[in-house]
Amino acid sequence: NAGVTQTPKFQVLKTGQSMTLQCAQDMNHNSMYWYRQDPGMGLRLIYYSASEGTTDKGEVPNGYNVSRLNKREFSLRLESAAPSQTSVYFCASRVKGNYGYTFGSGTRLTVV
Amino acid sequence: GQQVMQIPQYQHVQEGEDFTTYCNSSTTLSNIQWYKQRPGGHPVFLIQLVKSGEVKKQKRLTFQFGEAKKNSSLHITATQTTDVGTYFCAGLPSNTGKLIFGQGTTLQVKP
């Protein structure tokens, strides 16, 4: 099993450009999440999807949109990238209930 | 807002010394989880604690959940170089379904 797969692994954008970060899981998990990680800030929740067809805002949703395409895939879109969105982005999933999250390997995004 | 604070932010130890990181929540938690992130890697789930006063062990790692379910600790006995990384606690407040991560404690181990 691949677990949680994120693409791309690295990306450099110019301010104002748009892009979509892709995430797919093959564990039949119900819930999926997008986090950003910045030095000294821990992991902050951007958006999450408790189940297929639903999405909700997390702690830092401004400047992002998401799509839960199906049970496997949950994408994160930056419509107009800003330098403040330079970060490492992690996608995660978990089975229904209070269990640990499985994280993808991350996307390292730089906005110049 | 609801917060999960973790201390210390950094810890340097000599190989063989013990290490402890502490986690405190501003609200009561349904459960608390611990993750380890190796340098350049992604967080990996270690354990979940649910019951008040719960203590769980994984080899040299001991995890505790406070009686009031607002704090937790991770203790590593006799650290090894393979323990290097950042350890995160993550709490699930009783009144929400959103996991809140602490800032993490980065452990460096000198051989």
Side-chain angles (χ1 to χ4, degrees):
Chain A
N1 282 344
V4 178
T5 303
Q6 287 184 239
T7 57
K9 293 191 182 303
F10 300 93
Q11 184 73 49
V12 179
L13 289 179
K14 294 183 179 179
T15 298
Q17 285 186 317
S18 63
M19 79 162 295
T20 300
L21 281 65
Q22 307 287 351
C23 175
Q25 52 91 10
D26 61 3
M27 298 171 287
N28 202 35
H29 285 177
N30 294 302
S31 303
M32 297 186 73
Y33 307 82
W34 276 105
Y35 285 89
R36 62 177 288 173
Q37 184 175 34
D38 302 293
M41 302 288 286
L43 290 143
R44 293 184 291 169
L45 182 64
I46 305 171
Y47 270 94
Y48 69 102
S49 171
S51 61
E52 186 179 354
T54 68
T55 60
D56 284 291
K57 294 178 180 179
E59 182 184 356
V60 288
N62 292 345
Y64 305 95
N65 284 301
V66 290
S67 295
R68 183 75 182 265
L69 305 171
N70 46 56
K71 192 170 186 178
R72 290 187 64 249
E73 298 172 288
F74 188 39
S75 62
L76 178 71
R77 182 159 179 84
L78 286 71
E79 291 291 350
S80 179
S84 60
Q85 294 178 305
T86 293
S87 188
V88 181
Y89 291 85
F90 288 103
C91 177
S93 71
R94 71 178 173 111
V95 70
K96 188 176 181 179
N98 293 330
Y99 294 99
Y101 291 18
T102 300
F103 283 84
S105 58
T107 295
R108 284 151 180 80
L109 176 67
T110 301
V111 183
V112 297
Chain B
Q2 294 165 332
Q3 289 187 316
V4 174
M5 305 300 292
Q6 197 173 346
I7 57 169
Q9 189 173 0
Y10 298 99
Q11 184 85 58
H12 291 81
V13 299
Q14 199 72 38
E15 188 173 19
E17 292 182 337
D18 292 356
F19 159 77
T20 304
T21 174
Y22 301 91
C23 194
N24 288 287
S25 169
S26 57
T27 60
T28 303
L29 302 171
S30 295
N31 65 58
I32 194 154
Q33 299 174 5
W34 285 91
Y35 293 79
K36 177 182 179 181
Q37 184 177 24
R38 295 184 186 276
H42 59 276
V44 174
F45 175 70
L46 294 176
I47 206 162
Q48 176 174 281
L49 305 171
V50 179
K51 299 177 182 177
S52 170
E54 189 169 14
V55 178
K56 287 189 175 181
K57 292 190 176 184
Q58 289 181 349
K59 297 183 180 178
R60 295 178 293 104
L61 277 61
T62 302
F63 304 85
Q64 293 188 324
F65 199 10
E67 294 289 341
K69 301 185 74 173
K70 296 180 75 172
N71 58 72
S72 182
S73 65
L74 158 59
H75 179 82
I76 302 178
T77 303
T79 55
Q80 300 175 357
T81 55
T82 53
D83 295 326
V84 164
T86 300
Y87 293 85
F88 291 97
C89 62
L92 186 67
S94 301
N95 59 346
T96 77
K98 301 176 188 178
L99 204 62
I100 301 174
F101 280 81
Q103 301 95 323
T105 296
T106 299
L107 173 65
Q108 299 275 16
V109 180
K110 300 177 192 175

